[in-house]
Amino acid sequence: MDLDLRKIRYFVAVAELLHFGRAAERLHIAQPVLSRQIRALEKDLGAPLFERDSHGVTLTAAGRQLLDDSWQLLAIADATRLRVRRAAGGPRRLVVGFRAGVVVTRACAPSGPPTRTSRRSPAASNGTTRSG
């Protein structure tokens, strides 16, 4: 059995709000659709996740366990998605350009009291060299 991350996200919304209608609004889906998805998740897992009665919705022991596990599961899924996207983009690099005649000002120099090196030349304090 595979867990559907979409159903897990739906479950988390209902579990946080303990209200199907408000969870459906948060998820921008119709409440009957959300209810069907939660019932399908309960069937997939073979356990009721919520107790439903005229007073509202509460989590069962299985629901509390799934909620505890869902945070890590969703965080890992999001981190994996991010790493895959970065890997697909190839190696990243930073290109820094210099222009002749640009004066390095105090705003670019390291903060704190001037050191012996920085008093001599702004170029010496930020690792640049002068040529020409």
Side-chain angles (χ1 to χ4, degrees):
M1 186 253 338
D2 293 327
L3 282 177
D4 182 344
L5 292 178
R6 179 178 43 95
K7 289 178 187 174
I8 297 295
R9 285 187 177 88
Y10 289 176
F11 163 77
V12 168
V14 176
E16 286 179 342
L17 299 170
L18 293 176
H19 194 279
F20 278 82
R22 285 192 291 267
E25 287 177 18
R26 178 195 280 182
L27 296 165
H28 305 290
I29 62 172
Q31 188 270 326
V33 172
L34 177 60
S35 294
R36 280 193 301 272
Q37 293 298 316
I38 296 298
R39 272 190 246 108
L41 179 61
E42 289 174 323
K43 184 179 176 189
D44 291 346
L45 295 173
L49 302 172
F50 297 100
E51 292 179 11
R52 301 158 178 92
D53 62 25
S54 59
H55 300 292
V57 178
T58 58
L59 286 168
T60 63
R64 285 189 298 276
Q65 182 63 56
L66 181 59
L67 183 59
D68 288 344
D69 293 343
S70 293
W71 302 116
Q72 185 176 9
L73 180 64
L74 294 173
I76 289 170
D78 289 341
T80 299
R81 185 180 304 113
L82 180 63
R83 286 192 304 272
V84 168
R85 284 183 183 157
R86 284 183 181 161
R92 299 175 73 183
R93 63 186 187 147
L94 173 66
V95 178
V96 178
F98 292 95
R99 185 170 190 139
V102 174
V103 177
V104 177
T105 65
R106 186 73 171 138
C108 296
S111 62
T115 63
R116 185 173 159 215
T117 307
S118 65
R119 277 191 298 252
R120 222 180 307 137
S121 165
S125 66
N126 63 15
T128 60
T129 58
R130 293 183 181 203
S131 62

